[in-house]
Amino acid sequence: MPPAPLENSPGASASDTIFALSSGAPPAGVAVVRVSGPMAGAAIDRLTGGRPRPAARRASLRILTDPASGTTLDRALLLWLPGPGTATGEDMAELHLHGGRAVTAAVLAALGRLPGLRPAVAGEFTRRAFETGRIDLNEAEALGDLLAAETEAQRRNAMLLAGGALSRALEGWQHRVLSLAARLEAQLDFSDEEDVAPLDPGFASELAALDAEVARWRGRLPVERLRDGVRVVLAGPPNAGKSTLLNALAGREAAIVTPIAGTTRDLIEAPVALGGVPFLLTDTAGLHAGTGDAVEAIGIDRAAQAIAAADIVLWLGDPGSAPAGAVRVGAQADRRTLDPAAHDLLVSAQSGAGMDELVTLLLDCAATLLPGEGEAALSARQRAALDRLGEALALAQGEGDPILVAEGLRLARAAIDALTGRAGTEDMLDGLFGRFCIGK
Ligand SMILES: Nc1nc2c(ncn2[C@@H]2O[C@H](COP(=O)(O)OP(=O)(O)O)[C@@H](O)[C@H]2O)c(=O)[nH]1
Ligand SMILES: [Mg+2]
C-alpha cells in the first residue's frame, strides 16, 4: 500500500481506535485487518453479534456480520489481543479474512461505521507502539528499514536494531549517566561554596568507561554503506592509469581511457561487487596544479572532495605525495620501473599483474569498514546524536570543574533522549513514521 503522509484527518486523535488492512493489496489468499485502540474489543463484539470474545491470543473462527444491515460479511479467524502486551501497547484485534477485494472492502466499511473507529494513516500502528513506549525510535526506524530491506546485509542490520541492540545499550547508558549525575549532586550538596571537594577517582573512571563504550558505537558504519557500497576513490596525476584501473576492476569500460592528459574531467562512479562485497568505485580527474581549463579545474575540485569522502583512496601518483591513509599503488608496472618498497603494491591493469592482490587488499579494508557479526550500522540521525553524546561526555571529563561536569552530564542525557526519541520534535517523528505503509 503506498505510503500516505502522516497527517491526521480533522478531528482525529491519538485515542481513536484505528483499523487498516495490514496485508498486501487484495486479492490474496488471506487479508489481515488490524484494529488498535480502546474500542478494539467492542468492535469485534459488534461484528460477531455479541458472541463471547475468543480467549486472548487464540485464533478462533467467527462469522462476521455487518451490525448495520445484519448481512454476513465473512467467516474469519479472529484474534483478540488485549493490551498492553501487544504490538501497539493498546488493545488490538486481528481479523484474518478471505482475501478478496469485496470481502475486505465490506469489512473495512463495516468497521468504519462503528462509533470511535477510523482508518489508520501511514505508520500509525508503529507510531502508537512508540508513543506507548513499546519500542523506542531506533526500533521504529529499524522496522521501517526491515520493510524496505532489499539485500541480506540490510535485512540483518535492520533485524539487529529492531531487536533492540542499540536501544538496550542506550538504556544502560541513561542509567549510568543518571547515577553519575546523582553522585555529583550529592557531592556538591555536601561541600561548601569555597572549597568543593574533588570528585572521587571512581567517578572519573566510570565516566571514561562509559565514554569508551559510546566511542565504540560512534565508530560504527553508516547504514548507507550497506546500500551504496564501500567508497573507493582512484586518484593521482593525469595519465597515471586511474581510468584503466577502474575499468579493470569494474570489468567493463565505465571510464574513457586515452593517452591525452585531462580525459577524465568529472567523477565517474561504477558500483561493483568484489568477493560478494559491494564497492562504489569512483574515477577522478587527474590532480595537477595550474590547469587553464575551467571544466577540468572543477573536475579537480570534485576529485579533492571525493578523496575527502572516500573510505579507501587508491593513490596512483608519486608515493611521496600520497594523501594520508591512501593506498600507494604503483600502476602501469608493465611499462615502468617502480620501487616496490615505496608502494603498497604494484599493478598493471593491462597485463593483470598484481590485480588479485589489489582485490584482496580492498576486501581486507572493507572488512574493517562493514559491520562485523552482531554489529549494527547506524543511520545519519543516530550517528549525529551519538556524536553529541560523545561531545557531552568529553565536556564532563574535561576540566573537573563540577559545574561543567554537571552540564556535560545534562547534555549527555539530552543526547540519549534524542536517540531514543523521547525528546523528539514532531517534525522529525512525522518524517520518520510517514515512511511506513498504512497498516504498519
Ligand atoms: N602499458 C600500460 N598502459 C597503461 C596502463 N594503464 C593505463 N595505461 C595507458 O596510459 C594512458 C593513460 O591511462 P588513463 O587510464 O586514461 O589514465 P588516467 O588519466 O589516470 O585516467 C592510456 O593511454 C592507457 O592506455 C597499464 O597498466 N599498462
Ligand atoms: Mg582518466
Side-chain angles (χ1 to χ4, degrees):
M1 201 153 275
L6 185 80
E7 50 193 34
N8 290 337
S9 42
S13 104
S15 64
D16 289 344
T17 295
I18 53 171
F19 64 90
L21 174 65
S22 288
S23 52
V30 175
V32 178
V33 171
R34 297 166 99 193
V35 185
S36 179
M39 299 294 286
I44 53 173
D45 293 345
R46 294 291 300 277
L47 292 189
T48 55
R51 277 198 56 191
R53 225 177 263 177
R57 280 164 249 285
R58 290 285 167 81
S60 311
L61 199 60
R62 288 286 188 279
I63 307 274
L64 303 183
T65 316
D66 183 351
S69 63
T71 52
T72 300
L73 295 166
D74 195 15
R75 231 157 63 98
L77 267 188
L78 199 60
L79 280 157
W80 162 236
L81 309 163
T86 62
T88 58
E90 303 178 321
D91 283 353
M92 289 188 79
E94 266 184 30
L95 309 150
H96 296 213
L97 312 170
H98 291 96
R101 274 196 197 93
V103 176
T104 347
V107 171
L108 291 174
L111 283 169
R113 282 192 293 270
L114 297 178
L117 266 73
R118 67 167 167 84
V121 297
E124 204 172 5
F125 287 90
T126 312
R127 185 164 190 155
R128 288 193 172 189
F130 167 72
E131 269 155 11
T132 57
R134 289 290 291 170
I135 55 173
D136 80 355
L137 206 49
N138 303 295
E139 291 159 319
E141 204 170 71
L143 277 176
D145 288 345
L146 196 56
L147 296 183
E150 284 182 1
T151 69
E152 181 58 16
Q154 290 169 0
R155 185 191 66 78
R156 275 209 313 267
N157 196 62
M159 280 300 291
L160 257 177
L161 291 173
L166 175 58
S167 310
R168 278 190 298 277
L170 289 172
E171 213 171 289
W173 296 344
Q174 188 68 293
H175 210 78
R176 282 153 73 181
V177 169
L178 281 172
S179 89
L180 286 170
R183 260 160 74 184
L184 182 67
E185 292 293 325
Q187 198 143 355
L188 287 178
D189 283 349
F190 283 109
S191 55
D192 60 54
E193 289 294 314
E194 295 301 305
D195 179 31
V196 177
L199 293 164
D200 64 283
F203 187 94
S205 66
E206 269 180 49
L207 203 48
L210 177 62
D211 193 26
E213 214 172 289
V214 171
R216 276 202 296 283
W217 276 91
R218 288 175 76 187
R220 296 281 161 88
L221 186 83
V223 75
E224 300 81 54
R225 202 69 84 259
L226 291 178
R227 196 179 56 221
D228 306 338
V230 174
R231 286 172 309 207
V232 178
V233 171
L234 290 91
N239 274 344
K242 301 179 294 297
S243 300
T244 308
L245 186 58
L246 175 116
N247 290 345
L249 284 169
R252 63 192 174 89
E253 301 302 304
I256 300 171
V257 172
T258 75
I260 304 159
T263 300
T264 310
R265 308 209 294 187
D266 204 348
L267 301 179
I268 292 174
E269 296 189 333
V272 301
L274 301 171
V277 175
F279 288 92
L280 182 66
L281 305 178
T282 304
D283 188 18
T284 60
L287 297 173
H288 67 110
T291 176
D293 184 326
V295 178
E296 195 187 4
I298 296 171
I300 291 176
D301 220 43
R302 290 192 179 165
Q305 287 171 22
I307 291 171
D311 296 312
I312 302 172
V313 175
L314 297 181
W315 175 255
L316 278 69
D318 167 26
S321 46
V327 179
R328 294 158 306 166
V329 178
Q332 309 192 30
D334 60 290
R335 65 166 179 183
R336 296 197 293 164
T337 336
L338 296 156
D339 175 8
H343 294 89
D344 294 304
L345 80 173
L346 304 182
V347 299
S348 165
Q350 203 155 75
S351 75
M355 290 300 288
D356 286 347
E357 288 87 335
L358 178 58
V359 170
T360 305
L361 184 145
L362 289 175
L363 287 174
D364 288 348
C365 288
T368 66
L369 293 166
L370 292 174
E373 193 62 38
E375 285 182 0
L378 301 177
S379 70
R381 179 191 74 80
Q382 290 163 330
R383 290 176 333 118
L386 278 176
D387 283 346
R388 280 202 301 283
L389 176 56
E391 285 156 18
L393 292 175
L395 177 68
Q397 288 179 103
E399 302 298 319
D401 174 349
I403 304 298
L404 287 183
V405 179
E407 176 64 3
L409 291 176
R410 194 189 62 76
L411 291 173
R413 274 209 319 272
I416 296 172
D417 281 344
L419 266 164
T420 57
R422 292 295 159 234
T425 68
E426 280 305 301
D427 288 0
M428 191 262 288
L429 296 179
D430 283 354
L432 197 138
F433 290 103
R435 296 193 297 147
F436 284 83
C437 311
I438 291 172
K440 186 61 197 169

